[in-house]
Amino acid sequence: MIEDQGMEWTGAALAEVREQCPAARIAILANKFDFDSMLEAFRSGAEGYLINDLSCERLGGYLDLIALGEKIFPSQLAQKLLDQSALCEETPSASSIDCANLSVREMEILRRLAAGFPNKIISRQLSISEATVKVHVKAVLRKLRVSNRTQAAIWAASQGLHGPATDSGPAISSSSSVKAFGLSAKASGSSTSGFAASS
């Protein structure tokens, strides 16, 4: 167990301990909860990250679980996740793209969905197979919590996203793409706010 006295340990130090003692189970006992510090600890090979306000009985129980191969997270992490989730749910639509947590590739796919492009065109533009496009489209729909491409296009329009520039002309606006789906702005109405995803 490594007692954290103001972040005296480093990821390199943990990695060195892991290299010298591959079978060791490493736990960090921190003075206070720090999310970034916790991530660094687990990325560096720690099996547990505990806060030193624990009773001796609870600490011993956690260390026993770590010795058995379990990973132990501090209870403060649960509150951190709840706070982040609430923040995303309350975030105005202009910022809810961040809460959707789309990758760069998924954003490229979403912009093309907003433009009304079929999978074949998307695959040509991005130089990937149609099967790969389908995988990305499913991921986008899941993260936006919508059920089809049309709803994804409406969601994108509500966020002010625009289609990509193409060789044949300028970028296609998201409002035009919604019309391409046969949908009017009135049809999108109150439904768009329900598509914002929380992280």
Side-chain angles (χ1 to χ4, degrees):
M1 183 173 65
I2 300 175
E3 187 173 1
D4 178 11
Q5 298 289 344
M7 281 291 293
E8 291 181 354
W9 64 274
T10 64
L14 260 64
E16 185 177 348
V17 171
R18 174 65 66 200
E19 184 177 351
Q20 293 177 354
C21 306
R25 303 287 184 183
I26 302 173
I28 299 294
L29 184 63
N31 289 327
K32 63 180 180 178
F33 176 72
D34 181 84
F35 185 73
D36 292 334
S37 173
M38 182 197 69
L39 288 180
E40 177 66 17
F42 282 106
R43 286 169 179 164
S44 301
E47 276 77 30
Y49 186 91
L50 307 170
I51 310 303
N52 64 7
D53 59 355
L54 295 170
S55 66
C56 292
E57 183 178 358
R58 290 179 62 192
L59 177 60
Y62 287 142
L63 292 178
D64 286 342
L65 289 173
I66 291 171
L68 292 173
E70 299 290 338
K71 288 191 179 295
I72 302 299
F73 298 84
S75 58
Q76 289 86 346
L77 176 60
Q79 187 59 51
K80 172 76 172 179
L81 295 176
L82 288 173
D83 291 344
Q84 287 186 336
S85 177
L87 178 62
C88 283
E89 290 174 357
E90 295 171 2
T91 300
S93 58
S95 302
S96 58
I97 290 176
D98 294 333
C99 291
N101 197 28
L102 297 175
S103 67
V104 173
R105 177 65 84 188
E106 289 164 351
M107 281 296 296
E108 293 175 337
I109 295 291
L110 179 58
R111 288 183 180 278
R112 285 160 175 80
L113 293 180
F117 295 157
N119 288 350
K120 182 175 292 187
I121 299 299
I122 297 175
S123 69
R124 289 176 182 172
Q125 288 191 352
L126 299 181
S127 300
I128 58 179
S129 68
E130 286 191 57
T132 301
V133 171
K134 291 179 181 179
V135 171
H136 286 306
V137 168
K138 287 182 179 179
V140 169
L141 299 184
R142 174 175 53 81
K143 290 185 177 182
L144 299 187
R145 296 187 180 181
V146 298
S147 57
N148 54 54
R149 299 162 71 100
T150 302
Q151 290 181 350
I154 296 173
W155 188 93
S158 74
Q159 305 302 310
L161 285 181
H162 296 271
T166 65
D167 295 335
S168 58
I172 301 174
S173 70
S174 54
S175 60
S176 298
S177 66
V178 172
K179 291 179 181 178
F181 280 105
L183 298 168
S184 65
K186 183 177 180 180
S188 63
S190 61
S191 61
T192 57
S193 61
F195 299 135
S198 60
S199 62

